[in-house]
Amino acid sequence: MNIKVLNARMERREDKSYIGKVEAEVEGHKEPYELTIYSKSGDAWEYSLHFLQQPGPEEEILAFEEHIENDDEAFDIMVDAAWDSMEQQ
C-alpha cells in the first residue's frame, strides 16, 4: 500500500503527553485520511483514523486501518512525520 503524507504536526501538551495529526493519501483510495495519534510518554501510541474531508468507501478505510495495524513500518512512517514537524518548530 503506497501512502503519501500530505501534512503532519505534533505538539506536547501541558501534561507532557503528545498529540499529533497526520494527513495522508493512499494510492487508489478515493478520499484522503487523517490519523490522530496520542501518547502519554512518546513511545506507545493510540490512534484514531478518519476521512480527512468527506466520507469515502468504508472498505477503503477498513483496508487502510488493517494495513497500519499490521505493518509497523507504515505506522512508524506516519508517527515519524509528526515527530519531524515538532523538530522544525
Side-chain angles (χ1 to χ4, degrees):
M1 190 172 278
N2 291 326
I3 302 166
K4 178 181 176 185
V5 174
L6 304 173
N7 189 24
R9 58 193 178 281
M10 175 90 70
E11 65 181 52
R12 192 155 193 195
R13 303 168 92 181
E14 287 184 28
D15 67 357
K16 305 295 185 203
S17 65
Y18 295 89
I19 189 158
K21 294 192 184 282
V22 181
E23 298 171 2
E25 291 178 335
V26 175
E27 185 177 333
H29 286 212
K30 186 175 179 177
E31 296 296 328
Y33 302 96
E34 179 181 69
L35 181 76
T36 302
I37 54 177
Y38 172 80
S39 176
K40 287 184 179 181
S41 60
D43 54 1
W45 294 93
E46 298 175 29
Y47 76 89
S48 178
L49 182 64
H50 310 278
F51 287 107
L52 179 60
Q53 298 162 344
Q54 58 189 19
E58 183 177 0
E59 61 272 5
E60 288 182 359
I61 196 170
L62 292 174
F64 185 38
E65 185 166 32
E66 182 178 348
H67 180 71
I68 60 176
E69 277 284 327
N70 296 320
D71 186 334
D72 290 339
E73 185 178 337
F75 185 76
D76 290 346
I77 286 169
M78 296 179 55
V79 171
D80 290 346
W83 270 122
D84 291 347
S85 76
M86 265 187 76
E87 293 173 4
Q88 296 172 5
Q89 295 176 356

